[in-house]
Amino acid sequence: MNYVEEIKSLDNVPSHIAIIMDGNGRWAKERNFNRVVGHKRGSDIVSLIVDVSREAGIKILTLYAFSEENWNRPKIEVDALMSLLGEYLTKELPKMMKDNVKLTAIGRLHSLPQFVRDILDNTVSTTANNTGLNLNLALSYGSRAEITDAFISISKQISDGSLSIDDIDENVISQNLYTKDIPDPDLMIRTSGETRLSNFLLYQLAYTEFVITDTLWPDFTPKKYYETLKEYSFRERRFGLTSEQIKGEI
Ligand code: IPE
Ligand code: IPE
Ligand code: MG
């Protein structure tokens, strides 16, 4: 089965998909492997899902790869995750250029180790003019940190006179988030069955549809991806209106 074609044939394919890629550790533990083996396998699944997304014409794919809170994991795991991130970006850059993929990143990127910063900055600048899939990585990302940073940024603009309090509205807030140039996700997928946001895009997910799958991220396949997108295609997004209004019946 060609799941790219299956996805393309669905009604309402989301243009922005955000994924909490969870379950690498449990996948490894089930097999008596070190957690890092799960992360390695997880990064291979990232390549696969990026390919399917691009081929299916998804416009933006935001992947939660490392949270602010993940810094508190054992140093050996954090170091391995940083190395994997550097390896992923280095390995994928030629492919991103071939496939017209634009890489962006959100989060407190200054907290990343310098070698990752260098690779990341190079990947972002090299792919900046690509016009295909926008792969947006949430790295050292925490939504409360993002909202805090937005408060600081807005306060500075008020104190230097470039913004008036009367001008603050939802658009100003959106424009001061790390996601300022990126529309809100249509669909949020979380793997591994956990039904929480874990500090991910609290503001941006206000009207996003959620699909939670029990599948662990290293077991996520194009077929499972297709199934979550199929589930989304049956949803009715009402944005506070009635079903009749949405269907244009009244
Ligand atoms: C997700 O998998 C990857 C990161 C958070 C970096 P986990 O490492 O959280 O896997 P589990 O939840 O322990 O199974
Ligand atoms: C969320 O997963 C962060 C990422 C997937 C990068 P966690 O595994 O860190 O979330 P909690 O701790 O279970 O809420
Ligand atoms: Mg987890």
Side-chain angles (χ1 to χ4, degrees):
M1 183 88 80
N2 180 343
Y3 289 104
V4 170
E5 291 308 316
E6 294 290 311
I7 292 170
K8 281 174 147 171
S9 71
L10 292 170
D11 291 334
N12 308 319
V13 179
S15 49
H16 181 182
I17 300 173
I19 309 183
I20 304 181
M21 309 181 291
D22 199 11
N24 295 351
R26 277 162 282 172
W27 183 91
K29 199 170 173 197
E30 279 173 4
R31 290 161 180 78
N32 280 323
F33 293 150
N34 186 288
R35 294 176 59 83
V36 174
V37 179
H39 295 313
K40 172 71 190 92
R41 162 94 181 194
S43 97
D44 296 339
I45 302 298
V46 170
S47 308
L48 183 62
I49 295 302
V50 167
D51 274 345
V52 174
S53 304
R54 178 181 53 75
E55 289 172 31
I58 308 294
K59 293 197 171 53
I60 308 168
L61 180 66
T62 295
L63 299 178
Y64 201 8
F66 193 85
S67 75
E68 274 265 292
E69 290 74 24
N70 290 151
W71 290 116
N72 300 319
R73 290 193 179 190
K75 184 175 183 307
I76 192 157
E77 182 171 347
V78 171
D79 288 350
L81 281 163
M82 291 301 133
S83 295
L84 273 174
L85 176 58
E87 280 167 28
Y88 174 84
L89 292 171
T90 307
K91 178 169 70 74
E92 294 291 317
L93 179 57
K95 194 160 180 301
M96 287 180 203
M97 294 311 288
K98 181 171 79 61
D99 294 339
N100 199 20
V101 171
K102 174 179 166 164
L103 188 104
T104 52
I106 53 171
R108 285 191 169 157
L109 306 178
H110 53 83
S111 303
L112 296 167
Q114 193 58 47
F115 81 97
V116 176
R117 278 299 307 265
D118 292 344
I119 298 170
L120 182 63
D121 290 351
N122 178 47
T123 314
V124 169
S125 59
T126 308
T127 63
N129 294 324
N130 289 350
T131 54
L133 174 76
N134 177 185
L135 172 60
N136 182 41
L137 297 181
L139 301 170
S140 187
Y141 177 86
S143 193
R144 288 181 172 182
E146 177 181 38
I147 291 168
T148 305
D149 287 349
F151 267 68
I152 294 168
S153 157
I154 290 170
S155 306
K156 281 187 179 153
Q157 292 163 56
I158 291 169
S159 66
D160 73 15
S162 61
L163 181 72
S164 146
I165 290 180
D166 297 334
D167 292 334
I168 296 178
D169 58 12
E170 291 179 12
N171 186 47
V172 168
I173 294 174
S174 294
Q175 284 306 312
N176 283 277
L177 296 171
Y178 306 149
T179 49
K180 62 176 170 347
D181 300 320
I182 298 176
D184 293 340
D186 302 295
L187 169 66
M188 194 285 293
I189 301 169
R190 184 165 188 157
T191 59
S192 91
E194 307 295 351
T195 49
R196 57 178 171 266
L197 281 179
S198 303
N199 205 8
F200 187 48
L201 301 177
L202 304 182
Y203 190 84
Q204 298 86 338
L205 296 178
Y207 265 110
T208 300
E209 295 295 323
F210 291 6
V211 175
I212 305 220
T213 166
D214 284 336
T215 305
L216 304 175
W217 178 251
D219 287 329
F220 201 65
T221 55
K223 178 170 188 280
K224 301 232 156 110
Y225 195 33
Y226 161 70
E227 284 163 359
T228 62
L229 296 181
K230 189 171 173 191
E231 185 172 337
Y232 171 86
S233 75
F234 297 135
R235 302 278 179 89
E236 182 181 64
R237 302 183 72 188
R238 288 193 286 276
F239 300 98
L241 304 183
T242 67
S243 188
E244 290 72 20
Q245 285 177 297
I246 297 293
K247 293 191 185 102
E249 289 169 5
I250 53 165

